[in-house]
Amino acid sequence: MGFFSKPINTLDDLFVHTLQDIYYAENQIIKNLPVMAEEASDPELKAAFQHHLTETEEQVRRVEQVFELHGQPVKGVTCQAMDGILAEAKDIISDCDDPEVRDAAMLSAAQAVEHYEITRYGSLIAYATQLGRPDCAALLQQTLEEEKSADQKLTRIAGKSVNQHAL
């Protein structure tokens, strides 16, 4: 058990813990997306980061709604996975002198973030469904669809321009 966490003994405990994890992760993403948008040299990538920042702010509000619906206080727990993904991204990006290579690195890092979020939201939906919380599952499903769409958009931008320009 983590130093400051409580035991996870039930599916409900796991649901709440995972909700706290994604809440923390989404807030870390909000802190990092403006930097990535500023650093992006590709206009379409810059716009995608800016758009996803707005989406992520709405996703945080949805997670807060799920906490409230489930009768839990809104709070996060440190997400070591997201911290690691973001730290690795910062290291790689700082090593890229060429702006076009930096764009490719940032895009790849953003997709790693999206893939993590997709797995977490998928799990949360499954837990909410099992716990008889279709209200929570519906809110989480909205976010999952947005995360999948963001990942597809990044894949399209990578194939269309960013990776080619990084050659």
Side-chain angles (χ1 to χ4, degrees), residues 21-39:
D21 174 275
I22 200 67
Y23 184 72
Y24 173 91
E26 293 287 19
N27 279 293
Q28 292 305 112
I29 294 163
I30 287 171
K31 289 178 186 173
N32 284 274
L33 272 173
V35 174
M36 292 174 75
E38 170 114 4
E39 295 248 345

Side-chain angles (χ1 to χ4, degrees), residues 2 32 42 46 48 55 64 83 88 101 107 130 138-139 149 161 167:
N32 284 274
D42 182 271
K46 181 183 288 286
E55 255 182 356
E64 289 169 349
D83 285 348
E88 179 183 52
V101 174
L107 193 148
Q130 189 66 40
L139 287 168
S149 177
S161 60
L167 289 173

Side-chain angles (χ1 to χ4, degrees), residues 69-142:
L69 285 170
H70 202 61
Q72 293 293 318
V74 176
K75 77 172 209 173
V77 294
T78 301
C79 175
Q80 293 177 9
M82 186 56 64
D83 285 348
I85 291 168
L86 293 172
E88 179 183 52
K90 286 175 187 173
D91 284 348
I92 292 170
I93 292 164
S94 71
D95 288 342
C96 295
D97 292 330
D98 183 288
E100 292 174 332
V101 174
R102 187 179 314 112
D103 282 351
M106 286 191 297
L107 193 148
S108 176
Q111 284 197 286
V113 167
E114 293 305 323
H115 293 178
Y116 179 79
E117 291 176 294
I118 288 167
T119 63
R120 281 295 181 235
Y121 281 109
S123 295
L124 282 164
I125 292 163
Y127 301 157
T129 301
Q130 189 66 40
L131 291 167
R133 298 307 312 255
D135 51 348
C136 295
L139 287 168
L140 296 163
Q141 185 67 46
Q142 281 181 268

